[in-house]
Amino acid sequence: MKHFDVVVVGAGPSGGHCARQLAKSGKNVLLAEQHQTFSQNDFSSAATPIETLEQYNLPPDVVGSLWQKIVIVTTHVHHSWECDRPRGAVLNFAKLREFLAQEVQRQGGEVCMGHRYIQHFQESGKTVVEFKPYKSHETVHVSTQVLVDATGQTRAVISPSRQKSSSYLTGIGTEYLIEVESSDYQKYAHELIFFLGHKWMPKGYSWIFPMEQNLLKVGSARLKREHKIVEQTDSLKTYIELILNDYLSGISYNIINIHGGVLKYCSGLKDSYSQNNIIAIGDAVSTVNMLGGEGIRHGMQSAEIACRYIEAYLSGKQVNFQAYKPEMYQTYKKTWDWSERMGIRKYLEYSDELIDRGVAYLNHFSADEILEILFEYNFKVIYRGVFPYLRYKLAAKIHSLIRQIRSRLTQTKSLKGVD
């Protein structure tokens, strides 16, 4: 039986980056992934700020496209904000994970594809991890000092028994990868388009993101909870095809791929973060923002935080991972709680009219301020703009009232003149 310092279960962005960092620091690492190839679970829309590329040392090869324009479309409102330079990237999710796995190998770690996690147990003072290789009738075993749960929403290693808990907000999403003509692709090549409102997607939102040349992602995602107003919704496929046939009407396309995924977000971030020598990262500890659904860079950030504790544990400086959860709370909880509340209101409670008014209000903000709201979750920007907006609305009403009074005075003088 092979022995490792660290076994990471799940080769998503958080698991791949965790294994990459630990292998780079000289640890004996195994990265195990249940799928045979990275194209088999290519489910993320993967839009991120441009700073992510430098922060996590990601090469141009993993970038599908660069964007510099945000468009928000509701049932009755359409607004856009354009920057003077690229402000973000849409990552090729499969290529990103493949790159991280290659980095693990380049640093001396091992990667096992097509190995599904079965269980772990203690034997002779060691943690033994059992995997089932693809198309094999037998299982394989390895031992490790630290076991990392990077299995995403399944939380297969650290808390599989909690998956039916009511504390989880469950989201489901479907995305089409379509091929279009070059001239049509150029219309959308540098912009992220978000669709809100009851027409486009009750209980969530839809999108169009550019990928590599002539490829667009068209998707929809929603929460699996009752809406306060909307009683019945159609399938995700119906809303995606609405975008294709309505917003993209007149554009010919070929569907290259259809993929989807499930997200389970623990309300209040009450996940299990560690147990003995097990530590969880990424979506296994809800590092996805529930307002916008962005998770890749946050999952990689959680991996970096966890790596510090893993290295301290392996060196004997710490005997457990108890300090990991408080640091994760300090990093995410306040912002994530705000995002959760705002997301529930927007997706499950707001009327169409209120969504329209909200986006119309955002039209008074600059592109930089919109990016700050969408990707930095700085909601103070919204409230900062309330008073100027109210002054603008009040001034408009006062001017309208003055015009009405003047009009009535003119009418009165005219009538007196007639008398």
Side-chain angles (χ1 to χ4, degrees):
M1 184 186 341
K2 281 190 175 182
H3 179 76
F4 295 90
D5 296 327
V6 184
V7 170
V8 181
V9 182
S14 62
H17 187 55
C18 179
R20 171 201 195 190
Q21 294 293 100
L22 292 170
K24 186 177 180 180
S25 68
K27 303 300 181 290
N28 184 18
V29 178
L30 170 66
L31 175 64
E33 167 60 37
Q34 67 173 334
H35 294 94
Q36 289 180 285
T37 69
F38 289 113
S39 61
Q40 286 181 291
N41 61 337
D42 187 15
F43 56 81
S44 175
S45 53
T48 191
I50 197 74
E51 292 79 12
T52 303
L53 303 179
E54 182 177 356
Q55 183 178 0
Y56 297 108
N57 194 23
L58 302 179
D61 291 350
V62 307
V63 176
S65 64
L66 297 175
W67 53 264
Q68 61 187 72
K69 184 177 181 180
I70 297 289
V71 179
I72 299 181
V73 181
T74 71
T75 303
H76 303 105
V77 175
H78 182 291
H79 286 305
S80 62
W81 298 263
E82 187 161 10
C83 305
D84 57 2
R85 66 187 188 282
R87 298 299 297 274
V90 179
L91 303 177
N92 184 311
F93 193 62
K95 288 184 179 179
L96 168 66
R97 291 176 296 127
E98 184 175 18
F99 162 75
L100 293 173
Q102 290 172 347
E103 285 281 281
V104 173
Q105 293 174 316
R106 190 174 67 83
Q107 299 290 347
E110 292 189 31
V111 177
C112 287
M113 301 297 293
H115 279 59
R116 180 167 59 88
Y117 168 83
I118 302 298
Q119 63 173 335
H120 68 276
F121 53 89
Q122 298 299 311
E123 185 178 89
S124 302
K126 296 180 180 180
T127 297
V128 178
V129 190
E130 182 179 7
F131 295 99
K132 187 177 185 303
Y134 180 71
K135 287 188 175 180
S136 174
H137 297 294
E138 298 182 358
T139 59
V140 298
H141 298 83
V142 299
S143 64
T144 184
Q145 287 182 260
V146 175
L147 181 57
V148 179
D149 187 344
T151 61
Q153 60 90 15
T154 63
R155 297 164 171 83
V157 178
I158 200 159
S159 55
S161 62
R162 289 190 59 200
Q163 291 309 297
K164 294 183 180 180
S165 171
S166 60
S167 62
Y168 286 108
L169 270 169
T170 301
I172 56 172
T174 299
E175 189 173 61
Y176 287 21
L177 180 66
I178 64 171
E179 183 179 24
V180 299
E181 297 292 334
S182 180
S183 57
D184 292 324
Y185 173 79
Q186 291 305 319
K187 299 175 185 176
Y188 307 100
H190 305 294
E191 59 188 47
L192 303 182
I193 307 175
F194 298 93
F195 297 85
L196 302 173
H198 299 176
K199 172 184 176 179
W200 300 110
M201 173 41 63
K203 302 185 183 181
Y205 68 97
S206 300
W207 63 88
I208 300 174
F209 290 173
M211 279 295 292
E212 287 91 346
Q213 184 65 32
N214 299 346
L215 296 177
L216 299 174
K217 290 182 172 184
V218 184
S220 288
R222 68 177 173 215
L223 296 174
K224 291 184 68 176
R225 283 195 179 180
E226 294 298 317
H227 196 286
K228 189 175 181 180
I229 298 172
V230 180
E231 295 182 357
Q232 186 173 354
T233 59
D234 292 316
S235 66
L236 292 174
K237 176 183 176 182
T238 299
Y239 293 104
I240 294 173
E241 293 184 350
L242 174 64
I243 295 174
L244 294 172
N245 299 325
D246 188 323
Y247 192 84
L248 296 177
S249 63
I251 292 179
S252 60
Y253 62 88
N254 294 317
I255 299 175
I256 304 300
N257 186 21
I258 298 177
H259 47 264
V262 177
L263 170 71
K264 287 189 175 181
Y265 172 89
C266 191
S267 182
L269 298 183
K270 297 176 182 178
D271 280 298
S272 297
Y273 286 77
S274 64
Q275 294 173 1
N276 300 319
N277 64 334
I278 304 172
I279 190 167
I281 60 176
D283 285 355
V285 284
S286 303
T287 55
V288 62
N289 186 276
M290 279 306 295
L291 183 60
E294 188 197 3
I296 288 178
R297 63 184 169 125
H298 307 305
M300 295 176 77
Q301 183 183 22
S302 76
E304 291 198 344
I305 295 171
C307 281
R308 295 201 304 271
Y309 291 96
I310 293 170
E311 292 195 33
Y313 180 88
L314 291 173
S315 66
K317 295 178 181 178
Q318 289 183 333
V319 296
N320 55 48
F321 300 127
Q322 288 184 1
Y324 172 58
K325 181 176 179 178
E327 182 170 349
M328 290 290 285
Y329 268 34
Q330 185 178 5
T331 303
Y332 293 106
K333 195 172 189 313
K334 183 178 180 180
T335 302
W336 259 228
D337 286 350
W338 267 95
S339 297
E340 179 186 342
R341 288 194 292 269
M342 292 181 72
I344 288 174
R345 287 200 297 268
K346 184 172 72 172
Y347 300 136
L348 300 177
E349 298 178 3
Y350 280 4
S351 67
D352 234 10
E353 180 185 3
L354 195 54
I355 293 172
D356 288 344
R357 284 166 53 191
V359 174
Y361 167 69
L362 292 177
N363 192 43
H364 296 274
F365 292 90
S366 68
D368 285 340
E369 288 172 324
I370 291 297
L371 294 179
E372 208 173 336
I373 295 168
L374 292 179
F375 291 101
E376 299 304 323
Y377 320 116
N378 184 359
F379 307 123
K380 293 179 181 178
V381 173
I382 297 176
Y383 301 114
R384 237 181 9 236
V386 168
F387 294 110
Y389 176 73
L390 291 177
R391 284 199 300 268
Y392 165 79
K393 296 292 287 184
L394 182 60
K397 287 185 177 182
I398 291 173
H399 287 305
S400 175
L401 181 60
I402 290 172
R403 285 196 298 271
Q404 291 176 20
I405 293 172
R406 285 176 176 171
S407 176
R408 289 177 183 176
L409 287 174
T410 301
Q411 290 174 6
T412 302
K413 289 179 181 179
S414 298
L415 288 172
K416 288 182 177 180
V418 172
D419 290 339

